[in-house]
Amino acid sequence: MEQSKKEEMVRLAAVAARKAYAPYSKFPVGAVLRTAEGVLYSACNVENASYGLTICAERAAVFKAVSEGAQNFTHLALSVRGGGSPCGACRQVLREFSQDLEIILGDENGTIVREASLRELLPDSFGPESLDCC
Ligand code: THU
């Protein structure tokens, strides 16, 4: 994908992060998922007074997209303070739909910090095919 499209996705992730409901951590995160058809789904983290019920931005984006009928994801852009990468739970949920997902890590300003594939971030992973072994 062209650099300009990646920059646009990270910029949109930073916009999504502004909608974060993060009164406890004060750590807003924004995520934008792109399908092979070029459709974008954005989401933010949503926290809860019962802390463990918090949903990360990445998983919110996956659930939003899948609920709307999309499953063929090619790219994920993130806006995380300092340019951090997805938590383990989100990596596993993303992996359900693609090992080849390209992840564009951005900071709170919507600037690209680095890029990585999901395969790099979650090597030797467990996925749907793993259930076919026996
Ligand atoms: N968070 C995300 O949204 N994505 C991640 O990959 C890591 C953490 C959120 C959860 C919580 O609302 C806040 O960041 C601090 O952990």
Side-chain angles (χ1 to χ4, degrees):
M1 191 167 70
E2 308 95 277
Q3 191 63 17
S4 61
K5 287 208 170 116
K6 292 179 183 176
E7 286 166 358
E8 173 70 355
M9 281 185 68
V10 170
R11 196 185 64 72
L12 290 172
V15 171
R18 287 190 218 136
K19 297 197 177 111
Y21 178 73
Y24 307 108
S25 71
K26 301 191 180 357
F27 193 83
V29 179
V32 175
L33 261 180
R34 186 180 206 270
T35 68
E37 298 76 31
V39 181
L40 302 180
Y41 294 90
S42 64
C44 58
N45 51 331
V46 181
E47 298 186 346
N48 193 276
S50 177
Y51 297 165
L53 300 182
T54 291
I55 184 83
C56 292
E58 298 90 324
R59 274 176 292 157
V62 170
F63 299 152
K64 180 177 175 181
V66 173
S67 300
E68 298 200 9
Q71 293 187 2
N72 191 5
F73 308 123
T74 58
H75 294 80
L76 170 74
L78 292 180
S79 169
V80 181
R81 196 183 299 154
S85 68
C87 79
C90 289
R91 293 177 196 203
Q92 180 64 34
V93 169
L94 290 162
R95 190 261 179 257
E96 182 73 16
F97 299 98
S98 170
Q99 287 197 79
D100 298 315
L101 189 72
E102 290 184 44
I103 302 177
I104 308 152
L105 303 159
D107 65 15
E108 64 275 28
N109 302 313
T111 301
I112 295 176
V113 172
R114 85 180 163 104
E115 294 179 39
S117 68
L118 185 59
R119 217 179 277 275
E120 284 174 74
L121 297 184
L122 192 68
D124 198 18
S125 63
F126 186 90
E129 326 75 55
S130 309
L131 296 173
D132 295 334
C133 64
C134 30

